[in-house]
């Protein structure tokens, strides 16, 4: 087992990439702290992992609230005494054309995709600095490198995640022995597109997501596992991973 005696907090663990990552890290021996808003989903994942011999603890949290994430960090420390890995994965993608002014959705993406990631870091950093070790995985996107119509705000949030991650790495990795990796998926078959409400996107753009064979959530979980199981002197800065059929 590659992650024995490790403790990982995973945000957005109630579905998709977060759920798959929780299962994979637990199967490699890590204790996994599962967090998201949908408690029923978290509880059933907690039960599934514990039943199959892993160790999981579900704690409800909204990543737009710093206090919630501080509570997750505190309860993790109280229960397990350490925080080795944070997978900052919670995110939303209600794509829309700027001209359609879905301003409330812009706010939501900024709050979850950018501030949620920063709050996750703020919640675990004091512990990781005291430990003089830790690994922060931030989930960005191909959209953090490539900008397309209907994704202006989503891309802006993912560019921010990628920039913040590089800033974190430059500050923390050499000095504090806290590794930072950014994972940039292309299209992955998850619930992510269910938040789209813009009719123009649903009609014209969404089919793109179904026309190609997308990645599965476990494909991204495996990239995360790769990053967190490198030898201590190796920091995997970035992994961009796309479906073979995606241009
Ligand atoms: O999507 P989905 P993915 N507080 O919808 C949680 C990025 N990505 O796994 O709170 C706390 O299955 C939500 O939980 P709940 C993407 O940008 C994906 O694909 O219970 N949690 C759920 O667990 C995102 O950063 C693709 O509703 C909140 C999770 O977020 C990450 O991958 C491509 C929350 C979303 O799970 C995981 O997304 C790409 C809140 N306020 C990047 N709001 C892709 N799928 O194609 C939401 O490039 N969550």
């Amino acid at each position: 087992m590659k992650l024995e005696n490790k403790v990982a907090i995973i945000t957005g663990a109630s579905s998709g990439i977060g759920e798959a990552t929780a299962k994979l890290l637990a199967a490699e021996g890590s204790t996994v702290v599962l967090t998201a808003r949908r408690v029923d989903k978290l509880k059933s994942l907690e039960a599934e992992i514990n039943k199959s011999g892993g160790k999981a603890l579900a704690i409800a949290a909204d990543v737009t609230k710093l206090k919630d994430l501080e509570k997750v960090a505190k309860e993790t420390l109280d229960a397990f005494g350490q925080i080795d890995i944070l997978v900052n994965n919670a995110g939303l993608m209600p794509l829309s054309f700027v001209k359609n002014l879905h301003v409330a959705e812009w706010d939501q993406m900024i709050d979850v995709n950018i501030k949620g990631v920063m709050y996750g870091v703020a919640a675990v950093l004091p512990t990781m600095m005291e430990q003089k070790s830790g690994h922060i995985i931030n989930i960005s996107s191909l959209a953090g490198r490539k900008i397309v119509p209907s994704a202006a705000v989503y891309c802006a949030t993912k560019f921010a995640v990628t920039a913040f991650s590089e800033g974190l790495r430059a500050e923390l990795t050499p000095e504090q022995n806290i590794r930072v990796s950014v994972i940039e998926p292309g299209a992955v078959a998850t619930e992510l597109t269910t938040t789209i409400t813009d009719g123009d996107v649903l009609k014209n753009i969404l089919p793109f997501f179904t026309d190609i064979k997308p990645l599965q959530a476990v494909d991204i979980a495996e990239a995360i596992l790769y990053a967190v199981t490198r030898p201590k002197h190796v920091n995997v800065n970035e992994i961009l991973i796309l479906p073979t059929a995606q241009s």
Side-chain angles (χ1 to χ4, degrees):
M1 301 245 260
K2 295 176 185 154
L3 291 173
E4 227 167 334
N5 302 320
K6 298 287 183 197
V7 177
I9 297 174
I10 298 151
T11 72
S14 57
S15 61
I17 294 168
E19 179 183 350
T21 302
K23 286 182 187 168
L24 192 60
L25 300 192
E28 287 295 342
S30 180
T31 297
V32 287
V33 176
L34 316 168
T35 180
R37 294 164 305 171
R38 286 171 294 174
V39 182
D40 51 335
K41 293 218 167 217
L42 288 183
K43 285 280 171 201
S44 64
L45 180 60
E46 177 192 56
E48 185 186 331
I49 291 172
N50 287 333
K51 202 173 149 200
S52 60
K55 203 166 175 192
L57 174 66
I59 308 174
D62 181 335
V63 297
T64 66
K65 295 178 181 150
L66 176 60
K67 277 201 169 1
D68 279 16
L69 289 169
E70 287 172 339
K71 181 170 160 279
V72 171
K74 183 178 181 312
E75 289 182 15
T76 302
L77 273 183
D78 290 348
F80 309 115
Q82 65 199 62
I83 302 171
D84 302 296
I85 297 165
L86 168 67
V87 183
N88 248 330
N89 162 75
L92 293 175
M93 191 187 68
L95 299 177
S96 64
F97 289 95
V98 175
K99 65 179 181 189
N100 293 338
L101 297 180
H102 286 222
V103 179
E105 292 176 351
W106 304 351
D107 282 341
Q108 213 187 358
M109 278 190 278
I110 289 165
D111 287 346
V112 175
N113 297 3
I114 304 179
K115 288 164 82 178
V117 165
M118 292 176 175
Y119 290 167
V121 170
V124 302
L125 206 47
T127 302
M128 288 185 173
M129 285 173 63
E130 206 180 308
Q131 292 172 171
K132 285 237 167 289
S133 71
H135 199 146
I136 296 169
I137 302 281
N138 291 334
I139 308 300
S140 182
S141 175
L142 172 63
R145 289 180 177 223
K146 188 174 167 184
I147 304 157
V148 292
S150 88
V153 179
Y154 181 70
C155 291
T157 66
K158 292 301 186 179
F159 268 70
V161 172
T162 302
F164 179 59
S165 303
E166 176 53 15
L168 268 185
R169 191 204 59 77
E171 282 189 30
L172 295 178
T173 306
E175 216 173 80
Q176 303 285 343
N177 190 36
I178 298 169
R179 291 186 279 182
V180 180
S181 307
V182 61
I183 309 290
E184 303 159 315
V188 188
T190 67
E191 297 173 14
L192 195 69
T193 50
T194 60
T195 54
I196 298 172
T197 62
D198 185 328
D200 294 337
V201 175
L202 290 169
K203 256 194 306 197
N204 300 315
I205 304 227
L206 203 55
F208 163 77
F209 287 90
T210 45
D211 284 352
I212 61 160
K213 183 172 166 43
L215 298 171
Q216 299 302 307
V218 70
D219 297 323
I220 305 303
E222 281 170 353
I224 294 169
L225 179 65
Y226 172 81
V228 297
T229 53
R230 290 312 85 205
K232 281 196 173 107
H233 68 288
V234 178
N235 186 82
V236 175
N237 291 23
E238 254 181 290
I239 302 179
L240 172 66
I241 171 168
L242 305 187
T244 304
Q246 185 170 0
S247 61

